[in-house]
Amino acid sequence: MNEQHGASWATAIQATLHCLTGCAIGEVLGMVLGTAFGLHNAATVVLSIVLAFVFGYGLTMRGVLKSGLAPAAAFKVALAADTVSIAVMELIDNTVVVAIPGAMDAGLANFLFWLALVLSLAIAFVVTVPVNKWMIGRGLGHAKVHAHHQH
């Protein structure tokens, strides 16, 4: 693969771990809230996805705002850096959770609920690393963040 933009596996893993942090916060919070409030499974998944994007973008913006960027510019950097990564991660992790029989209806006190969440995020991480490697190698995705701050 093209390594000209620093698209090492280590860089891709670091970028994906950053993405996973925001996605996991939003995903877990959304699943917990949706389950606790008895929302329909589809509403719970939508809530989880929305919160994953909010927290994913928020973590990136937090870092680039420290570099002195205005909030609107920081948001544009977050969109460019994280949209594809978060979308892939959310597609995979929600597909896995929904595909595990009984996971969405298991309830917060059930081991299956938590196992499904952990498994879904782990699989999403593994699938998203090569996507981020490919994007960073072309100066896209998380490569946009590195102009503003280092992790």
Side-chain angles (χ1 to χ4, degrees), residues 7-44:
S8 68
W9 285 107
T11 300
I13 288 168
Q14 183 180 13
T16 308
L17 283 171
H18 178 270
C19 178
L20 178 66
T21 302
C23 285
I25 293 167
E27 187 71 26
V28 171
L29 182 60
M31 289 290 173
V32 167
L33 290 173
T35 300
F37 292 126
L39 299 180
H40 185 275
N41 289 348
T44 299

Side-chain angles (χ1 to χ4, degrees), residues 94-118:
N94 283 289
T95 299
V96 170
V97 167
V98 170
I100 295 173
M104 289 293 295
D105 299 316
L108 298 177
N110 192 310
F111 179 73
L112 177 61
F113 175 86
W114 296 103
L115 178 65
L117 270 176
V118 169

Side-chain angles (χ1 to χ4, degrees), residues 12-25 55-63 81-82 85-86 89 125 132 142 145 149 151:
I13 288 168
Q14 183 180 13
T16 308
L17 283 171
H18 178 270
C19 178
L20 178 66
T21 302
C23 285
I25 293 167
F55 281 95
Y57 290 149
L59 288 177
T60 295
M61 286 183 63
R62 181 177 161 258
D82 293 336
S85 184
I86 295 171
M89 194 161 284
F125 175 80
N132 281 332
H142 208 72
V145 173
H149 77 96
H151 293 285

